[in-house]
């Protein structure tokens, strides 16, 4: 089976990672140690923007009343998202669900949920899934916990009913202490030679098992202590990703902060088999976290203080767990800050973080102030356009074939405005009515200096409204002439990416 990734993304990756690949190669030659300096595309501090609550449990599970959906794993195949997640019910039972086949995160909440108790995976304790394509065997895997690390094979991530019965990677964990009351959060990442299985217990001890790519899914016999802590600054939910086309890996681990809220810390290494002490801290503290409430903005209001167990949206769904450091999104679990009680009854929901401060190495810098020209949509190749060269206040902008007309010449000002026309006809790109909700129209209006007329032109190609934090978005992923433009939660889609000139 050959996976299809859009040509636009391939082109983007090719141009994005040339400098990083050269830098990583030179670093590897000069210094073979396992703790190199971070690759250029990864910043030393992170800023994120969150959607609101996107997904809640659907009450369609046979014989169960669900209270949460959590621990998501996501792949994007042929432009469609596929998500597997944990559900918890009022009786304290845990199981798995699937939803997918959608192209925009705004559609995630309405995607039908298929509960995997109706498949060969069956009922009983199943939780914390990870879905990926194992390219050497042309096979999709769904990894999850049943106490032991378990897996099923599936024909395609969008076909949960094809799941095979659960099998175990190993018959025991090989942990000698015998004091762990639970072991959780299995995660697989492979390099060219080996596959590694990460997991942890309730003693803040994190383990790593190893097998070869040739033996996978068998052979996980060697279990070693990978890292440990005496506090909740290392808690659970280990994720390990390959950073683009570089030779670097990023490790993120969930922690519990001094305020009781969950967040993520991060480290980097150029070897998956490096000991934890050989991983270089990246953003690894409460004051400088990978993702925490203090570096996440919530344009629609903070619906959660927890940034908890989830998964990065990967550029390649295979066993290498590759991400694009220039276009990072993180699907995560959060909950109402006022909720409490038994952990199994916490009302976890899903939201998406979008990284908002990629490094300059990730692409062209925003155009300088006063440099007028067209804004071209990456997904459509068409330009941001005022219909019929209108100068009427309230005219909604669209995309249209690029030409040299004044209605497609946009100037980014020192004040952060995007203006069109000149003289007495000069207008500003405006969020209609100072709206902050998804679907707010992008219009032209007399310039007045309001924050709804100020925009950030970001290195990842998105254009965000200063007041709302929402992205300039071509409605419905439209690519045809006349497709209308509005504001929407940032999700990194090509309908939210623009080039200048």
């Amino acid at each position: 089976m050959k996976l299809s990734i859009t040509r636009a993304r391939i082109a983007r990756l090719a141009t994005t990672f040339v400098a990083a690949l050269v830098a990583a190669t030179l670093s590897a030659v000069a210094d073979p140690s396992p703790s190199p300096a971070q690759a250029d595309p990864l910043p030393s501090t992170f800023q994120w923007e969150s959607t609101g609550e996107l997904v809640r449990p659907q009450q369609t599970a046979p014989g169960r009343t669900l209270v949460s959906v959590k621990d998501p794993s996501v792949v994007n195949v042929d432009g469609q998202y596929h998500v597997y997640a944990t559900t918890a019910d009022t009786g304290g039972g845990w199981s798995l669900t699937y939803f997918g086949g959608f192209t925009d995160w705004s559609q995630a909440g309405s995607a039908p949920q298929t509960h995997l108790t109706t498949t060969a995976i069956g009922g009983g304790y199943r939780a914390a899934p990870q879905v990926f394509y194992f390219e050497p065997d042309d096979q999709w895997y769904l990894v999850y916990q049943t106490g032991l690390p378990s897996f099923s094979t599936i024909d395609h991530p969008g076909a949960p009913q094809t799941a095979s019965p659960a099998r175990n990677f190993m018959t025991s964990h090989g942990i000698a202490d015998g004091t762990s009351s639970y072991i959780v959060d299995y995660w697989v990442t492979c390099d060219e030679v080996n596959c590694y299985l990460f997991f942890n217990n309730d003693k803040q001890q994190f383990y790593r098992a190893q097998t070869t790519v040739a033996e996978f899914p068998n052979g996980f016999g060697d279990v070693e202590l990978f890292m440990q802590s005496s506090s909740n600054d290392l808690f659970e939910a280990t994720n390990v990703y390959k950073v683009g086309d570089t030779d670097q890996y990023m490790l993120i681990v969930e922690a519990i902060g001094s305020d009781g809220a969950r967040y993520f810390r991060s480290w980097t290494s150029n070897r998956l088999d490096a000991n934890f002490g050989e991983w270089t801290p990246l953003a690894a503290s409460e004051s400088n976290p990978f993702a925490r409430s203090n570096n996440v903005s919530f344009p629609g209001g903070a619906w959660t203080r927890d940034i908890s167990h989830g998964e990065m949206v990967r550029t390649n769904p295979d066993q290498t767990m590759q991400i694009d450091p220039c276009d990072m999104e993180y699907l995560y679990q959060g909950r109402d800050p006022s909720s409490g009680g038994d952990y199994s009854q916490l009302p976890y929901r899903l939201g998406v973080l979008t990284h908002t401060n990629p490094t300059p190495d990730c692409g062209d810098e925003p155009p300088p102030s006063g440099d007028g020209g067209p804004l071209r949509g990456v997904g459509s190749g068409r330009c941001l356009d005022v219909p019929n060269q209108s100068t009427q206040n309230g005219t909604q902008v669209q995309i249209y074939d690029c030409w040299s007309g004044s209605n497609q010449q946009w100037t980014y000002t020192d004040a952060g405005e995007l203006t069109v026309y000149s003289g007495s006809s000069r207008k500003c790109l405006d969020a209609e009515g100072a709206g902050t909700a998804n679907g707010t129209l992008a219009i032209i209006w007399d310039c007045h200096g309001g924050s709804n007329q100020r925009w950030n032109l970001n290195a990842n190609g998105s254009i965000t409204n200063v007041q709302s934090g929402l992205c300039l978005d071509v409605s419905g992923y439209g690519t045809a002439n006349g497709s209308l433009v509005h504001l929407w939660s940032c999700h990194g889609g090509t309908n939210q990416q623009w080039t200048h000139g």
Side-chain angles (χ1 to χ4, degrees):
M1 184 178 100
K2 185 175 181 179
L3 297 174
S4 172
I5 298 177
T6 64
R7 283 177 289 183
R9 180 171 288 280
I10 291 172
R12 174 177 169 79
L13 287 172
T15 56
T16 295
F17 295 127
V18 168
L21 182 59
V22 172
T25 302
L26 291 175
S27 175
V29 171
D31 180 6
S33 71
S35 302
Q38 66 191 54
D40 288 339
L42 285 175
S44 58
T45 62
F46 290 81
Q47 293 294 322
W48 304 87
E49 182 179 277
S50 178
T51 65
E53 173 192 309
L54 292 179
V55 180
R56 57 180 51 219
Q58 295 175 6
Q59 299 302 334
T60 54
R64 304 170 67 217
T65 301
L66 302 182
V67 296
S68 68
V69 59
K70 60 192 301 290
D71 310 331
S73 178
V74 56
V75 290
N76 189 300
V77 180
D78 295 330
Q80 295 186 331
Y81 294 104
H82 300 278
V83 180
Y84 287 79
T86 305
T87 61
D89 62 34
T90 53
W94 305 89
S95 193
L96 301 175
T97 192
Y98 159 83
F99 58 95
F102 55 90
T103 59
D104 189 290
W105 285 115
S106 64
Q107 304 162 345
S110 59
Q113 294 174 14
T114 298
H115 299 283
L116 301 192
T117 54
T118 64
T119 74
I121 290 175
Y125 175 59
R126 282 97 170 87
Q130 181 195 19
V131 61
F132 61 90
Y133 174 67
F134 190 69
E135 187 274 336
D137 291 345
D138 187 21
Q139 181 64 66
W140 286 93
Y141 280 82
L142 181 65
V143 177
Y144 47 93
Q145 63 196 44
T146 60
L148 288 170
S150 299
F151 69 90
S152 296
T153 59
I154 49 179
D155 293 347
H156 184 275
Q161 294 293 352
T162 65
S164 65
R167 290 174 54 194
N168 293 331
F169 282 115
M170 54 182 68
T171 57
S172 70
H173 295 98
I175 300 173
D177 66 6
T179 63
S180 301
S181 59
Y182 63 79
I183 298 177
V184 295
D185 296 343
Y186 300 101
W187 178 271
V188 173
T189 304
C190 305
D191 57 25
E192 293 182 355
V193 177
N194 295 309
C195 292
Y196 299 87
L197 178 68
F198 298 85
F199 56 92
N200 65 277
N201 64 8
D202 59 338
K203 310 297 182 184
Q204 288 75 54
Q205 296 170 322
F206 293 74
Y207 295 89
R208 180 176 58 195
Q210 177 180 335
T211 189
T212 64
V213 169
E215 289 181 289
F216 182 88
N218 303 308
F220 280 110
D222 298 326
V223 177
E224 61 177 335
L225 182 65
F226 173 55
M227 60 182 172
Q228 63 182 331
S229 177
S230 59
S231 70
N232 286 336
D233 62 356
L234 293 172
F235 186 65
E236 60 186 19
T238 303
N239 289 183
V240 184
Y241 299 102
K242 186 176 188 291
V243 181
D245 288 341
T246 72
D247 292 326
Q248 188 180 49
Y249 295 91
M250 180 172 68
L251 163 72
I252 66 172
V253 181
E254 185 174 342
I256 298 180
S258 57
D259 59 355
R262 298 186 179 216
Y263 73 103
F264 281 94
R265 304 170 64 197
S266 61
W267 296 259
T268 60
S269 175
N270 69 345
R271 281 176 34 211
L272 278 177
D273 64 348
N275 296 324
F276 181 60
E278 299 171 312
W279 289 71
T280 302
L282 178 61
S285 66
E286 283 196 67
S287 59
N288 180 29
F290 178 73
R292 188 174 179 265
S293 58
N294 61 345
N295 69 342
V296 175
S297 65
F298 295 86
W303 64 279
T304 177
R305 288 192 306 116
D306 291 300
I307 308 297
S308 184
H309 191 140
E311 188 175 301
M312 300 284 285
V313 179
R314 292 174 258 140
T315 60
N316 189 327
D318 72 15
Q319 73 281 353
T320 62
M321 301 298 141
Q322 181 174 309
I323 61 169
D324 181 352
C326 297
D327 189 15
M328 289 191 288
E329 290 183 308
Y330 189 79
L331 178 63
Y332 74 101
Q333 67 179 31
R335 63 184 175 95
D336 184 340
S338 66
S339 61
D342 183 79
Y343 182 74
S344 71
Q345 303 304 296
L346 295 177
Y348 278 105
R349 306 291 186 256
L350 304 184
V352 173
L353 300 179
T354 298
H355 185 220
T356 59
N357 68 321
T359 68
D361 301 276
C362 284
D364 295 334
E365 293 288 344
S369 299
D371 183 17
L375 287 168
R376 190 184 304 267
V378 170
S380 65
R382 292 189 162 91
C383 282
L384 188 66
D385 176 284
V386 183
N388 302 315
Q389 296 183 278
S390 173
T391 59
Q392 180 68 38
N393 280 341
T395 301
Q396 186 177 6
V397 296
Q398 62 180 10
I399 56 170
Y400 207 84
D401 290 337
C402 300
W403 65 302
S404 58
S406 60
N407 62 326
Q408 292 187 353
Q409 304 302 304
W410 298 90
T411 298
Y412 190 59
T413 72
D414 289 332
E417 302 159 320
L418 279 168
T419 66
V420 65
Y421 308 131
S422 60
S424 61
S425 297
R426 181 176 180 268
K427 300 291 181 181
C428 274
L429 186 65
D430 177 290
E432 185 183 49
T436 59
N438 281 341
T440 297
L441 304 187
I443 63 172
I444 59 169
W445 199 270
D446 292 336
C447 299
H448 54 61
S451 58
N452 68 315
Q453 291 188 347
R454 297 203 306 273
W455 306 85
N456 292 319
L457 307 188
N458 304 306
N460 65 356
S462 66
I463 300 176
T464 49
N465 184 257
V466 169
Q467 179 179 14
S468 66
L470 300 176
C471 273
L472 195 66
D473 174 289
V474 182
S475 178
Y477 277 79
T479 59
N481 279 337
S483 296
L484 295 174
V485 176
H486 61 188
L487 276 64
W488 203 267
S489 297
C490 299
H491 53 65
T494 56
N495 67 319
Q496 293 186 348
Q497 294 174 357
W498 306 85
T499 61
H500 189 267

